[in-house]
Amino acid sequence: MLVALGLAMVATFMFLIITKRATPVVALILVPVAFGLFAGAGMGISDMITDGIKDLAPTAAMLFFAIIYFGIMIDVGLFDPIVRGVVKAVRADPARLVVGTALLAMIVSLDGDGSTTFIIVTSALLPLYLKLGVSPVVLTVTAGLANGTLNILPWGGPTARAAAALGISPSDVFIPMIPSLVAGLVIVLLFSYHLGIMERRRIGKIVIRESVLSRENEAVLVGTGGGTGGSGRSGGTTGGDDAAGTSDDASDGGFTANALDPNRTTLRPKLFWVNAALTIALLAVLGMDVIAIPVLFMVAAGIALVINFPHVKDQQSAITRHSSSIVSVVAMVLAAAVLTGVFAGSGMVEAIAEWLTSILPDAMGPHLAVVAGVLSIPFTFLMSNDAFYFGILPVLSETATTYGIAPVEMARASITGQTVHMQSPLVPAILLLVSLAGVSLADHHKKVLWRAVVVSLAMLVVGVLVGSIPF
């Protein structure tokens, strides 16, 4: 009975999410409560959910303050010189332009939000693509690959979800996967260079007038990109589950289309090197894994607020600008505690794991981590991260433990499919990207999908080779 209820609960949750009949938060709360009560949990369901909240509280705190920190860095202009440098460095070479697009997308993707990355990249570089005759599809492919590969950052969404679903630390999942991440990014750069070479052969040598790069025209290059090429705005977007689970409208507070406005009041040019040093120190300490990630981001966000906005009113405004992103992602994580708490507390996970173990061929059991990595490619493309990480991964992980595979190893394997996942039509951020660039999703998929599969499989292989994923 528990097996049937558990599978029905997962199927119901996935159906509601995929068909968009309920938001992830609503489905994460109401579906497990209903099935838990039907399974006879009674008033004990309260303790199950409370235990789940206790387990996920550090993850919620980490995401809360990571969004604040990187949002502040965008507000104060930390990334602006990088954008201007990329624009000036590409000059007359399409190959440089495409590689520069990849590098810019990688840098901005450090904030963990796909919508932010795509708004900034298209705002900064789409005018150049159109002026120089380079296909905008190349921009969407390059930005999509870069952002999808970096989507495994601990504050980016999938890693936090995998850790939350299995009750483990995001840093334990991510840090051993850094070699895989580096390999994936190198492949993305190679793909970018190849795409640029093909564009160079197609259109030949190009010339940019100096006036295009002048300060007077800088607002055109790093201002709003919505009207460029008639692409228009998408009206709004929900960053959704695919980049820190954030929800951002392209025109309201937080990460906005004019995030790179050179005249915005939040700029702090005199503090650029201070903010750069703080960010480098943050990433260095993060890599050393000597401080808990939630504590690290709490301290870093506090320091960033005090340095850049010494007045209380300005600090409050800085936090409020990103409130929609914060509320969205924290609500999702806390709601996930209901599903994970009921799933574990009711005994459904154990029952389903035992059932899967009984039907799984013995030869496949020791390789379940690799199986999970391969399955993550099509599964996360066809369903949301919420459905995969909270519905399927816990079952696979519980089964894998009978073969000596640790939950953290299953979590590492499960995040390798994110480069493909970010190209899914179920991801609002990718719909925003193609809308801003004025290209069709079909044209985007023709060029991006096979490349994304290559990147994901390469990350899985590297993970196996370095020992972070057992074979």
Side-chain angles (χ1 to χ4, degrees):
M1 177 179 174
L2 284 177
V3 172
L5 285 175
L7 293 177
M9 182 172 75
V10 172
T12 302
F13 169 70
M14 291 169 55
F15 173 77
L16 292 175
I17 295 297
I18 293 173
T19 60
K20 298 183 179 179
R21 296 177 184 269
T23 63
V25 171
V26 171
L28 284 167
I29 294 173
L30 297 184
V31 171
V33 167
F35 277 88
L37 292 175
F38 191 77
M43 298 304 295
I45 197 170
S46 175
D47 293 333
M48 297 178 190
I49 295 173
T50 300
D51 290 339
I53 292 175
K54 291 178 180 178
D55 292 337
L56 297 191
T59 299
M62 182 265 295
L63 293 173
F64 185 108
F65 289 99
I67 291 172
I68 290 178
Y69 181 83
F70 284 107
I72 291 171
M73 291 301 110
I74 290 176
D75 290 341
V76 301
L78 180 63
F79 299 116
D80 289 25
I82 299 173
V83 172
R84 289 195 293 269
V86 170
V87 170
K88 292 180 180 179
V90 300
R91 290 295 174 178
D93 190 352
R96 286 188 181 184
L97 174 60
V98 182
V99 173
T101 302
L103 291 173
L104 179 60
M106 291 175 186
I107 293 170
V108 183
S109 291
L110 289 174
D111 81 332
D113 181 71
S115 297
T116 306
T117 299
F118 298 148
I119 288 171
I120 290 178
V121 170
T122 54
S123 297
L125 299 180
L126 181 59
L128 274 180
Y129 272 77
L130 297 177
K131 187 174 185 65
L132 304 178
V134 181
S135 172
V137 178
V138 175
L139 184 153
T140 66
V141 170
T142 303
L145 289 174
N147 180 257
T149 304
L150 276 163
N151 204 37
I152 71 169
L153 291 170
W155 52 90
T159 300
R161 283 170 170 81
L166 302 181
I168 53 183
S169 168
S171 61
D172 290 340
V173 178
F174 172 71
I175 291 177
M177 290 298 291
I178 290 177
S180 292
L181 176 60
V182 172
L185 294 177
V186 169
I187 294 175
V188 170
L189 288 174
L190 291 175
F191 276 140
S192 302
Y193 182 71
H194 181 250
L195 287 168
I197 291 296
M198 290 193 297
E199 287 295 289
R200 178 196 289 169
R201 292 172 180 171
R202 183 178 67 84
I203 63 179
K205 195 73 172 178
I206 50 182
V207 177
I208 308 176
R209 296 194 311 271
E210 285 300 318
S211 60
V212 174
L213 296 176
S214 68
R215 246 343 243 201
E216 291 77 9
N217 287 287
E218 187 174 277
V220 176
L221 296 177
V222 298
T224 58
T228 306
S231 61
R233 278 276 168 233
S234 62
T237 180
T238 53
D241 63 306
D242 307 294
T246 55
S247 288
D248 289 312
D249 190 282
S251 61
D252 62 12
F255 302 129
T256 62
N258 62 349
L260 294 178
D261 180 0
N263 299 314
R264 63 189 187 275
T265 58
T266 58
L267 286 176
R268 299 292 185 270
K270 294 182 179 180
L271 296 174
F272 174 81
W273 291 111
V274 175
N275 287 314
L278 179 60
T279 301
I280 292 172
L282 168 66
L283 297 176
V285 176
L286 178 66
M288 292 187 289
D289 194 26
V290 295
I291 300 177
I293 294 181
V295 176
L296 181 60
F297 274 109
M298 282 182 178
V299 174
I303 294 174
L305 283 167
V306 171
I307 291 175
N308 294 284
F309 306 102
H311 301 296
V312 173
K313 182 179 179 180
D314 294 335
Q315 292 175 6
Q316 185 61 49
S317 297
I319 296 173
T320 303
R321 275 193 295 274
H322 309 289
S323 58
S324 62
S325 301
I326 295 169
V327 170
S328 173
V329 68
V330 173
M332 182 276 299
V333 172
L334 294 179
V338 181
L339 180 64
T340 57
V342 172
F343 215 11
S346 65
M348 292 180 187
V349 171
E350 292 81 358
I352 294 175
E354 291 177 3
W355 173 70
L356 282 177
T357 302
S358 66
I359 66 172
L360 190 70
D362 292 338
M364 189 180 296
H367 308 292
L368 266 180
V370 174
V371 171
V374 173
L375 289 178
S376 71
I377 295 175
F379 278 16
T380 59
F381 183 80
L382 298 173
M383 64 181 66
S384 70
N385 277 339
D386 296 299
F388 179 73
Y389 288 108
F390 295 121
I392 294 177
L393 180 60
V395 177
L396 292 174
S397 179
E398 190 68 21
T399 304
T401 57
T402 63
Y403 296 95
I405 301 175
V408 70
E409 295 172 326
M410 292 293 289
R412 292 169 192 159
S414 71
I415 63 177
T416 57
Q418 284 303 302
T419 309
V420 175
H421 167 74
M422 278 302 297
Q423 319 312 318
S424 171
L426 299 175
V427 177
I430 205 67
L431 300 179
L432 173 65
L433 173 63
V434 296
S435 175
L436 291 175
V439 304
S440 71
L441 188 62
D443 290 339
H444 174 74
H445 278 165
K446 287 178 184 177
K447 286 183 175 292
V448 80
L449 284 182
W450 71 267
R451 291 178 170 90
V453 170
V454 171
V455 174
S456 290
L457 290 177
M459 293 174 69
L460 181 62
V461 170
V462 172
V464 170
L465 292 177
V466 301
S468 56
I469 300 173
F471 181 75

